[in-house]
Amino acid sequence: MLFVEEIVTLLVDGYGLRGWQDVSVDRSMESAEISFTLGASNPSWSAEAKRLRHAKEVEIRTAPRAGGDAARPGGGDLLCAGYTGGYAAEYDGKGATKKVTIDGKSKAADAIDCHPVKHKTGRFENKTLLEAARELDEVRCGFKADITLKKLPKIQRQPGDTIFQTIEREARRIGAMLAGQPDGSINITRAGTKRHAGALVLGEAPVENMSVKLRTDQKFSPIVGRGQRATGTGKDNLRQEERETDKSVTRNRPLLVIPEGDWTKKEFKKRLRWERLRRAAYGTTITVRVSTWRDAAGLLWEPGRLMAIVNDPEDIDGDYLLSTVNFRQGDDGGTQAFLTFVDPKAQGGKAAAGKSDGAFDPGDALEEQGEE
């Protein structure tokens, strides 16, 4: 496909603001919110931009310059729906030049920052995590799920928890991620089976740079969990102890995990495996800088999708999961995206196809070893 400049429009109070010379939008499977920074330099830009000095609800949309949607304010793909958080205007000493910079986050930021004050007990019995999240969501950012969720016997909000903190703690219990969506909502998810079109091959367009990072300082083995259930007798309730081994750690590096809730033996074992996989994700990454915001089919880069990556010198040839994307556009670097990939098992997915070196493999997936 032809890689072209993106036309970015910010919609506020019915106005479409364009002419942004500096654009940066961050989206990640690791974050429940999307953040953005936009900058424009123009002596007359813009009377409508002063509306952004208030905490305004905004939408950021983008379309390729060559596409038909680029000519229509509000057309194109949604990058982020949320609120402005900061406004800055900088002038030279004579007032001849002006630079406006705004920043903000998706609607999910309110769920991350705010406490649920309307719910009387903060306790939920025999409900799914999605049902509990929607009851707590008085800021109306919106929660959704694209995985099957079982009913949990008990969810208890802790004093001082924000909406997000309660849901995130229980997400660790079931091995799920909380990922921010362009419409401002939070998706309860794991690495999926959807994929991006094409492949990213070292030495071929649109790849401008590819780096590989392998770190072991966040890995531990054995990972030992110890806890006690609120009711019941016997060792599975009074003296819980489970272990998880990371085969890539060849020396004794023990880590103790205390359960964040009242969990069954099976839930506890899954929690420890999730700890191992998440730590693998911190240390084994492939970062690619590309000259486009879109894959070979024209789809905006989307965290949670698989992508074929080939780097022969580092023995990489297989499918990896897009974990984080930073969309950037500016006068200096042009149109670029910085993509960070991990093994899909490190974010709850299944083993992906490929023949990469075993150094990039985080071990057994979350749902292996006989689990449902």
Side-chain angles (χ1 to χ4, degrees):
M1 64 175 291
L2 178 65
F3 305 125
V4 297
E5 178 188 5
E6 295 279 335
I7 304 301
V8 177
T9 305
L10 182 142
L11 299 172
V12 55
D13 290 345
Y15 292 92
L17 301 179
R18 292 183 172 182
W20 304 99
Q21 280 105 7
D22 296 294
V23 179
S24 178
V25 179
D26 288 296
R27 183 180 173 190
S28 175
M29 282 282 287
E30 302 281 355
S31 176
E33 64 188 11
I34 298 172
S35 61
F36 60 87
T37 302
L38 306 178
S41 300
N42 191 308
S44 62
W45 197 97
S46 145
E48 290 78 18
K50 292 182 179 179
R51 297 170 180 271
L52 301 174
R53 293 185 295 189
H54 307 278
K56 288 287 188 176
E57 183 173 350
V58 297
E59 280 190 6
I60 301 173
R61 291 186 171 271
T62 187
R65 179 177 287 279
D69 282 340
R72 178 168 58 89
D77 298 299
L78 180 64
L79 273 175
C80 181
Y83 304 95
T84 55
Y87 169 97
E90 181 180 352
Y91 296 82
D92 68 0
K94 297 180 180 180
T97 63
K98 171 184 179 181
K99 181 176 181 179
V100 172
T101 304
I102 67 160
D103 63 75
K105 296 180 178 179
S106 62
K107 296 178 182 179
D110 286 347
I112 294 173
D113 296 339
C114 298
H115 299 87
V117 297
K118 294 182 179 179
H119 201 279
K120 299 300 183 183
T121 64
R123 184 181 179 88
F124 307 90
E125 296 183 359
N126 199 32
K127 292 188 177 183
T128 67
L129 186 58
L130 179 59
E131 290 172 331
R134 286 175 170 171
E135 286 191 35
L136 288 175
D137 184 23
E138 60 188 64
V139 298
R140 297 184 179 180
C141 78
F143 281 85
K144 61 182 71 171
D146 61 8
I147 57 176
T148 301
L149 297 173
K150 296 181 180 180
K151 292 186 181 295
L152 300 174
K154 180 180 67 175
I155 299 173
Q156 179 62 60
R157 175 179 174 267
Q158 301 299 319
D161 274 0
T162 64
I163 298 168
F164 172 80
Q165 286 171 332
T166 297
I167 304 306
E168 191 276 332
R169 183 174 57 250
E170 295 298 329
R172 278 179 268 157
R173 173 181 183 173
I174 62 174
M177 313 281 293
L178 300 180
Q181 304 299 295
D183 64 359
S185 65
I186 298 174
N187 191 29
I188 303 172
T189 186
R190 291 179 189 155
T193 57
K194 296 180 181 179
R195 61 182 304 116
H196 275 296
L200 297 178
V201 182
L202 182 64
E204 298 182 11
V207 175
E208 294 186 337
N209 175 276
M210 185 181 295
S211 62
V212 177
K213 182 179 74 172
L214 291 168
R215 295 189 61 88
T216 60
D217 54 357
Q218 292 298 314
K219 292 185 176 184
F220 294 85
S221 188
I223 301 174
V224 180
R226 291 176 181 158
Q228 179 173 311
R229 301 206 65 187
T231 60
T233 59
K235 65 178 183 179
D236 288 345
N237 296 297
L238 294 179
R239 295 184 179 179
Q240 289 179 312
E241 180 167 315
E242 302 296 337
R243 288 178 173 246
E244 178 74 13
T245 300
D246 187 332
K247 297 177 183 178
S248 69
V249 179
T250 57
R251 64 187 189 274
N252 185 41
R253 277 178 56 80
L255 176 72
L256 182 64
V257 175
I258 305 299
E260 293 93 341
D262 184 10
W263 297 353
T264 66
K265 179 182 179 72
K266 185 175 180 179
E267 289 172 332
F268 208 176
K269 289 178 70 69
K270 177 180 283 190
R271 171 68 180 88
L272 298 185
R273 193 173 311 156
W274 189 234
E275 184 75 22
R276 170 177 58 78
L277 290 167
R278 299 301 300 121
R279 288 183 174 277
Y282 301 150
T284 305
T285 57
I286 302 169
T287 302
V288 187
R289 186 177 81 241
V290 295
S291 57
T292 174
W293 286 8
R294 300 171 185 272
D295 68 8
L299 179 71
L300 282 172
W301 297 116
E302 181 181 329
R305 287 181 177 260
L306 297 171
M307 187 69 189
I309 299 180
V310 179
N311 181 327
D312 287 335
E314 291 296 331
D315 304 313
I316 296 171
D317 185 356
D319 287 342
Y320 289 85
L321 183 90
L322 179 56
S323 177
T324 299
V325 55
N326 171 228
F327 299 99
R328 292 189 197 175
Q329 187 165 269
D331 292 338
D332 293 334
T335 302
Q336 298 179 321
F338 294 77
L339 313 174
T340 300
F341 295 89
V342 299
D343 187 287
K345 290 186 289 186
Q347 293 188 345
K350 297 180 180 179
K355 51 183 180 180
S356 298
D357 186 271
F360 299 94
D361 188 346
D364 293 335
L366 187 68
E367 301 296 348
E368 290 178 356
Q369 300 181 355
E371 287 200 16
E372 297 178 357

